[in-house]
Amino acid sequence: KTAIKLWKKLVSNNLVEYECALAQTYNNLGNIYNTTIRYVAAENYYKKAIAIKEKLYAVNPIRYGSDLACTCNNLGGLYYYTNRHIQAEEYYKKALVIWKVLVKIVNQTVYENELACGYYNLGTLYHETDRYTEAEKVLKKAVVKREKMAEENPEAYANDLSRCYYGLGDLYRDIKRFSEAEEFLKKAVVIQENLVEEKPPAYDECLVNSYDSLGILYNDTKRFSEAEVAFKKALKINKQ
């Protein structure tokens, strides 16, 4: 908050270049409040950040677009986790629009990564709200981008790819497209098992979720022995 007072003073003296720093400080405070489950305060600071960043974006989209999109995505995530799905969709889509523009104009890998993240977040929202056709379409876009990125840099993007595989597989399981669900959940498990071997317990939760989803799938398709194996693997990790 001391930083905010300083940035406000500089901005009030017509030092426009400090507006970006003020907006980022608002965003950072929003992140802290969001992490500590102080959602009202987080929402307030995210909105303050967005108000400034939208003004800067209108003047220079390439320079300020990524900052604006990230804060929109942060606010969308807050709305998602507080079950305000209409608002979550609004801000996830705002972020996606900006990232699409940046990918088209600048074509840097960092923006491809953010765009893939945006597709994944929106797809997860659609899945949560039973908009399955839209969820499949968007999650597939996330998978395509993550596969390309993981092929070029597996160490950096393997976990993100596994999450996309899990998201699409879990969607297919929910809508009873069991063959496709099994395919993508197994792809997620293969990656996550390798990651857990390298850096336990950083990736344990993702692997547990994949085992659980596979177990439910096998149970739903009356493959009970396989369901038992999957659930026991998840249980073993949870007990560690």
Side-chain angles (χ1 to χ4, degrees), residues 100-170:
K100 285 179 180 178
V101 169
L102 291 173
V103 166
K104 186 175 181 179
I105 296 174
V106 184
N107 195 28
Q108 290 184 0
T109 303
V110 62
Y111 299 133
E112 290 281 0
N113 179 48
E114 291 172 340
L115 182 57
C117 176
Y119 282 138
Y120 175 80
N121 289 341
L122 189 59
T124 301
L125 171 67
Y126 287 149
H127 184 184
E128 177 74 17
T129 53
D130 301 333
R131 295 161 66 179
Y132 300 125
T133 301
E134 292 166 284
E136 180 185 11
K137 181 179 179 181
V138 176
L139 286 171
K140 278 185 171 181
K141 289 182 178 180
V143 165
V144 168
K145 289 198 172 292
R146 289 299 189 203
E147 284 180 333
K148 180 182 178 182
M149 297 172 74
E151 183 179 354
E152 295 172 354
N153 191 343
E155 185 174 347
Y157 299 112
N159 182 50
D160 293 325
L161 175 59
S162 77
R163 291 169 69 88
C164 290
Y165 283 151
Y166 167 79
L168 191 54
D170 200 52

Side-chain angles (χ1 to χ4, degrees), residues 195-208:
L195 291 171
V196 166
E197 283 184 10
E198 295 171 6
K199 294 182 180 179
Y203 301 106
D204 283 357
E205 183 179 354
C206 292
L207 182 55
V208 167

